[in-house]
Amino acid sequence: MKVVILCGGQGTRIRDVADNIPKPMIPVGPAPILWHVMKSYAAHGFTEFVLCLGYKSHTIKEFFLNYQAFTSDFTLTLGREKAIDYHGDHDESGWKITLAETGLDSLTGTRVKRIAKYLGDDQDFLLTYADGVADIDINALVDFHRGHGKLVTVTGVRPPGRFGELGVEADGSVREFNEKPQATGGCISGGYFVCNRKMLDYIGDDNVMLEQDPMRKVVADGQLMVYRHDGFWQCMDTYRDYTLLNDLWNADRAPWRCW
């Protein structure tokens, strides 16, 4: 089963972190957040990826074209017949990555439609964004999808709180202060979809957001199910998100690290 990752957006809300690289390439610890997303899928046995590229796509291509050099020691012999001798290997050996140009200004639905030819004969495919990490059990998600028989499964997560939460007693005394709590009610889409390829029929030829008309039509036809995930999930939309993820990684407390 292929893992389709949306990597083409411009990330305008996080330009204060880096405006010279695409959002998927913003680092968390030693590597881009895109790498963290891919590592989490690979840890569950899914190592065939289709990256939907757009804004500054050359940066993502260069990263993977030079991956061996970025991750290994090597000896370089200069001269007319230049030779490179890599020392050792890396844990990502065997990953198969298709880097697909899906348009600079394409919206998410159009990007997914344009990579249909790379899905092969697979009936289902995994789909997510390149800017969110979680401790989701991907195999359990896939099993859930196959069990209900609908076209699309979306992972529902509790949105992280944006403000400090006070636990207050009746007399006004404070019993707890939570700096960034999880919201207690409702859930939002956390990405991490599983889709039957028939879902592509809901995406027309116009430039469309997957999360708008196509998904509304899927819902109207009773073809969308939610997989509840109450564990860790965090997107990287702002500088504060960037700082949080890096602090967790640097403190060796990254909940999404399952490799």
Side-chain angles (χ1 to χ4, degrees):
M1 190 185 301
K2 311 294 190 301
V3 182
V4 178
I5 306 180
L6 293 160
C7 304
Q10 297 190 20
T12 54
R13 287 178 293 179
I14 200 168
R15 289 287 176 83
D16 51 345
V17 174
D19 60 3
N20 61 336
I21 57 175
K23 187 178 181 182
M25 296 303 292
I26 294 177
V28 174
I33 189 168
L34 169 61
W35 177 89
H36 291 263
V37 174
M38 295 170 74
K39 286 287 283 185
S40 66
Y41 277 99
H44 291 88
F46 300 97
T47 57
E48 290 191 55
F49 301 96
V50 181
L51 307 186
C52 301
L53 306 181
Y55 179 69
K56 293 186 182 291
S57 61
H58 65 278
T59 307
I60 300 175
K61 289 181 174 180
E62 287 170 357
F63 175 75
F64 288 107
L65 283 170
N66 296 292
Y67 194 81
Q68 190 81 17
F70 288 153
T71 58
S72 305
D73 294 342
F74 61 88
T75 299
L76 175 65
T77 302
L78 300 178
R80 181 173 297 176
E81 305 224 345
K82 181 173 62 176
I84 301 177
D85 182 19
Y86 292 102
H87 307 294
D89 209 342
H90 52 74
D91 293 338
E92 296 69 56
S93 292
W95 285 16
K96 184 176 181 180
I97 308 169
T98 300
L99 297 104
E101 294 286 354
T102 56
L104 180 61
D105 298 315
S106 298
L107 300 176
T108 51
T110 301
R111 294 192 189 281
V112 174
K113 187 82 175 238
R114 289 180 177 175
I115 57 84
K117 59 188 175 183
Y118 298 120
L119 296 177
D121 297 326
D122 293 352
Q123 188 69 18
D124 296 315
F125 63 95
L126 296 153
L127 170 67
T128 196
Y129 306 98
D131 62 352
V133 289
D135 60 353
I136 295 170
D137 184 337
I138 305 296
N139 288 306
L141 167 64
V142 171
D143 288 343
F144 174 80
H145 174 78
R146 289 175 171 165
H148 62 61
K150 306 292 186 179
L151 292 184
V152 181
T153 299
V154 60
T155 298
V157 300
R158 293 182 297 161
R162 294 292 181 183
F163 305 98
E165 180 183 79
L166 296 174
V168 183
E169 300 289 2
D171 64 356
S173 61
V174 176
R175 66 175 180 274
E176 60 182 352
F177 182 96
N178 299 315
E179 164 56 18
K180 194 169 185 178
Q182 291 268 328
T184 55
C187 64
I188 62 172
S189 167
Y192 291 88
F193 298 87
V194 188
C195 305
N196 184 289
R197 63 182 306 127
K198 291 180 182 178
M199 180 272 286
L200 299 174
D201 295 337
Y202 286 83
I203 304 173
D205 295 329
D206 294 333
N207 193 17
V208 294
M209 290 286 289
L210 176 68
E211 302 81 0
Q212 295 180 358
D213 283 350
M215 279 300 176
R216 289 177 187 141
K217 292 175 183 176
V218 170
V219 171
D221 286 348
Q223 291 295 322
L224 179 66
M225 296 288 286
V226 63
Y227 175 80
R228 290 296 301 261
H229 174 67
D230 292 324
F232 178 86
W233 175 87
Q234 179 66 53
C235 62
M236 188 171 67
D237 278 339
T238 66
Y239 178 78
R240 184 176 182 179
D241 299 333
Y242 163 81
T243 301
L244 170 66
L245 291 173
N246 274 279
D247 286 348
L248 288 171
W249 181 269
N250 293 331
D252 199 25
R253 294 191 297 111
W256 68 90
R257 184 170 186 174
C258 55
W259 58 88

